Amino acid sequence: MFKILLDISGACDNNLNMFKGNSKHIKSEQTREEILDSALELFRQHGFDATTMRDIAVKAGVALGAAYYYFASKDAIVQAYYEKVQQEHTARLRQMKMDGLSLRQRLAAVFYSKLDILENDRKLLGAIFRYSGEPAHPLSCLGPGTRVVREQSMQVIADAVTPEALPADLQQLLTLGLWALQMGVLIYFIYDDSPQQQRTRRLVDGALEITTFLLRLARFPLLGFARKKVLALLDEAGLLPQLNHALEAQS
Amino acid sequence: MFKILLDISGACDNNLNMFKGNSKHIKSEQTREEILDSALELFRQHGFDATTMRDIAVKAGVALGAAYYYFASKDAIVQAYYEKVQQEHTARLRQMKMDGLSLRQRLAAVFYSKLDILENDRKLLGAIFRYSGEPAHPLSCLGPGTRVVREQSMQVIADAVTPEALPADLQQLLTLGLWALQMGVLIYFIYDDSPQQQRTRRLVDGALEITTFLLRLARFPLLGFARKKVLALLDEAGLLPQLNHALEAQS
DNA sequence: GTCTATATAGCGATAGAC
DNA sequence: GTCTATCGCTATATAGAC
């Protein structure tokens, strides 16, 4: 079931040469990690804009040129962070035992673990959403440049939905809807200044309760009609092909 | 009904001194307009990032420092554009005769006129969404810095919903939902490369059809329960006070 | 391949003269 | 209110050490 994810991560990551066992590559990977970690720590402390590449290089103990050798730009560091978070999210859910859990519990696990991972990185998320309105930008969180990461994040949700064995159309609708919900939750999360972002957690609980409630209602004729309408609309809007791709990978 | 809007525009705009009749102020206002128009034209042609303040100053026929005298930053120009668009949207809908129209027709007028205004500015919208993940930034489209513009855009929707004389809770829910829909539509609009963004227009049609259909369903007991749940959740999430404020203004 | 050191161009933004 | 001059920054380039 997870084969596609491994394929994808192998295809997208340009620095898996560390597995070759060559000590030079290991050294190189360490330097890269050092630069990335230094950057993220500075980003968390002072924010993305206030941190300069020179700061990062100094903290990592390398020259400015070295930092640019590993990361073509400050944005590229954000991209690496983006991928790192998604790898972590995928890995955590892969480890979890979901066997006895309900759909709602599985989805709660998906949403909560995402929030856990991002707990201290709320300042960083702004950098990820920064180019969401610029389709051509490689870091646009809805654009082609982040397609792989986006599909991975949809896959995590699809894996939590699949065991429910829903009709295909409803499964598509639910997965896409939940993915959109997750994006909305993350935005709320950034703006949530309650202690430990407890409001966001409650929002997740409530949203999932309503989702599962509406899911039960979706079998009734009237809402079944609405459901077909929504699906036809999303299909016409071209928002489903990517999802189909993710669903095919499960078979 | 529109009193509040006039109050707001008077309070938020810091450059209405042109009405004082002083020739110096008129001259000043002309320079400001010249800089703003030059900037927007360059933004539309080459995008936000590719346009420099030096380009803007040259095109407007002033020195770099003069441009910064009128606009504290490049972002401030975007802010001015943002407010200008909302003023235009509010003004257009104020002129329209909505008397004989259905809710769906009124909402279509709201959504379509917004798209008409932004037709040639899709490259510019990316600059508006740029800081949506940074609450503290004055240009954050969800943050306190843009509260006034945001309330104006909600007011436009509320004005289209009000004649329907819905129960108060449903009206709140519908207005907030439609505002969120509008934001989503704008994102889709940015990514829509179909001719004249016809896909976005069809998306609006379909979304409004489903919205009005669900609205009719909302009176049934089962969906009425879901509706209460959703409203309670949004209230707990703190997403309603601002809306209440807008609704009070109509009385 | 990995990295240092250094230099240049052009950017946003600011200070102070006029 | 407008200008010139300047700052610190990013991005980029280059020459060379290892």
Side-chain angles (χ1 to χ4, degrees):
Chain A
M1 187 198 276
F2 288 107
K3 185 160 48 71
I4 184 74
L5 292 179
L6 292 172
D7 289 350
I8 285 174
S9 68
C12 82
D13 239 338
N14 51 359
N15 53 299
L16 291 184
N17 40 13
M18 55 176 164
F19 293 130
K20 287 174 184 169
N22 188 321
S23 66
K24 273 188 185 173
H25 288 128
I26 289 177
K27 174 81 189 309
S28 171
E29 186 59 27
Q30 281 175 346
T31 308
R32 194 189 132 98
E33 279 294 314
E34 184 60 45
I35 294 170
L36 180 56
D37 290 343
S38 301
L40 295 182
E41 200 176 320
L42 288 172
F43 288 163
R44 288 188 189 103
Q45 278 175 21
H46 312 110
F48 178 74
D49 284 319
T51 304
T52 73
M53 282 296 270
R54 281 165 181 77
D55 296 336
I56 295 166
V58 168
K59 188 171 178 81
V62 296
L64 177 62
Y68 275 107
Y69 176 77
Y70 285 103
F71 298 96
S73 66
K74 223 163 75 165
D75 287 338
I77 299 180
V78 175
Q79 168 105 32
Y81 166 74
Y82 197 3
E83 289 166 5
K84 197 176 176 175
V85 166
Q86 188 50 52
Q87 300 284 348
E88 173 69 18
H89 194 207
T90 301
R92 282 202 193 188
L93 284 160
R94 212 179 302 185
Q95 289 171 355
M96 284 188 199
K97 296 263 173 272
M98 296 285 202
D99 293 350
L101 302 183
S102 67
L103 172 65
R104 189 171 157 189
Q105 287 170 323
R106 290 195 302 272
L107 290 175
V110 169
F111 279 76
Y112 270 64
S113 58
K114 191 99 182 188
L115 294 180
D116 288 342
I117 292 168
L118 298 172
E119 206 160 35
N120 302 120
D121 298 0
R122 287 164 60 239
K123 276 194 172 182
L124 260 152
L125 287 176
I128 285 181
F129 284 110
R130 172 164 297 196
Y131 302 108
S132 49
E134 299 173 39
H137 196 283
L139 218 64
S140 161
C141 66
L142 299 172
T146 56
R147 211 197 81 236
V148 172
V149 184
R150 191 167 52 252
E151 281 179 1
Q152 278 183 281
S153 69
M154 279 191 179
Q155 184 71 60
V156 170
I157 294 173
D159 286 338
V161 170
T162 303
E164 208 65 9
L166 297 168
D169 68 329
L170 200 53
Q171 173 155 345
Q172 284 196 353
L173 188 58
L174 186 60
T175 305
L176 187 61
L178 285 168
W179 183 81
L181 175 64
Q182 185 187 233
M183 294 300 273
V185 165
L186 289 182
I187 291 280
Y188 188 86
F189 185 56
I190 295 173
Y191 283 80
D192 182 3
D193 54 0
S194 66
Q196 271 82 43
Q197 285 69 53
Q198 287 303 324
R199 296 190 92 170
T200 305
R201 314 259 175 182
R202 287 202 300 270
L203 183 68
V204 167
D205 287 340
L208 290 182
E209 183 192 345
I210 293 165
T211 301
T212 47
F213 178 76
L214 286 177
L215 188 61
R216 261 173 275 141
L217 254 59
R219 302 174 200 278
F220 288 83
L222 270 175
L223 228 62
F225 178 75
R227 157 186 149 194
K228 277 187 183 52
K229 281 275 180 195
V230 172
L231 211 81
L233 180 62
L234 293 178
D235 191 34
E236 196 193 349
L239 295 172
L240 294 184
Q242 191 178 50
L243 183 59
N244 286 330
H245 181 258
L247 289 173
E248 283 164 19
Q250 297 184 344
S251 57
Chain B
M1 187 200 275
F2 289 107
K3 186 159 49 69
I4 184 74
L5 293 179
L6 292 172
D7 289 351
I8 286 172
S9 68
C12 81
D13 239 337
N14 51 358
N15 54 299
L16 292 183
N17 40 13
M18 55 177 166
F19 293 127
K20 287 175 184 169
N22 187 321
S23 65
K24 272 187 188 174
H25 287 129
I26 288 178
K27 174 80 188 309
S28 172
E29 186 58 27
Q30 283 175 344
T31 308
R32 193 189 133 97
E33 279 294 313
E34 184 61 43
I35 294 170
L36 179 56
D37 291 342
S38 301
L40 295 182
E41 200 176 319
L42 288 171
F43 288 163
R44 286 186 191 105
Q45 280 174 23
H46 312 111
F48 179 74
D49 283 320
T51 304
T52 72
M53 284 296 272
R54 284 164 180 81
D55 295 337
I56 296 167
V58 168
K59 188 170 177 82
V62 296
L64 178 62
Y68 275 104
Y69 174 77
Y70 286 101
F71 298 96
S73 67
K74 220 163 85 165
D75 287 338
I77 299 180
V78 175
Q79 169 105 33
Y81 166 74
Y82 197 5
E83 289 167 4
K84 199 176 175 176
V85 166
Q86 188 51 51
Q87 300 284 348
E88 173 68 18
H89 195 207
T90 300
R92 283 201 192 188
L93 284 160
R94 210 179 305 185
Q95 288 171 355
M96 285 189 198
K97 294 266 174 272
M98 298 283 202
D99 292 350
L101 302 185
S102 66
L103 172 64
R104 189 171 156 189
Q105 288 172 322
R106 290 196 302 272
L107 290 175
V110 169
F111 278 75
Y112 270 63
S113 58
K114 191 98 181 190
L115 294 180
D116 289 342
I117 292 168
L118 298 172
E119 206 160 33
N120 303 120
D121 298 0
R122 287 164 60 239
K123 277 193 172 184
L124 258 152
L125 287 176
I128 284 181
F129 284 111
R130 173 164 297 195
Y131 302 107
S132 48
E134 299 173 40
H137 198 284
L139 217 64
S140 161
C141 65
L142 300 171
T146 55
R147 211 197 82 238
V148 173
V149 184
R150 192 167 50 252
E151 281 180 0
Q152 278 182 281
S153 68
M154 280 192 179
Q155 183 71 60
V156 170
I157 294 173
D159 286 339
V161 170
T162 303
E164 207 65 10
L166 297 168
D169 68 329
L170 200 52
Q171 171 154 347
Q172 285 196 353
L173 188 58
L174 187 59
T175 305
L176 187 61
L178 286 168
W179 183 82
L181 175 64
Q182 184 186 235
M183 295 299 272
V185 165
L186 289 183
I187 291 281
Y188 188 86
F189 185 57
I190 295 173
Y191 283 81
D192 182 3
D193 53 1
S194 66
Q196 271 82 43
Q197 287 69 53
Q198 287 303 323
R199 295 190 95 170
T200 305
R201 313 262 176 180
R202 287 201 299 271
L203 183 69
V204 167
D205 287 338
L208 290 182
E209 184 192 345
I210 292 165
T211 301
T212 47
F213 178 76
L214 286 178
L215 187 62
R216 261 172 275 141
L217 252 58
R219 299 173 202 278
F220 288 83
L222 270 175
L223 227 64
F225 177 74
R227 157 186 150 195
K228 278 189 179 52
K229 281 276 180 193
V230 172
L231 212 82
L233 180 63
L234 292 177
D235 191 34
E236 196 192 350
L239 295 172
L240 293 183
Q242 191 179 49
L243 184 60
N244 286 330
H245 181 258
L247 291 172
E248 282 164 20
Q250 299 183 344
S251 58

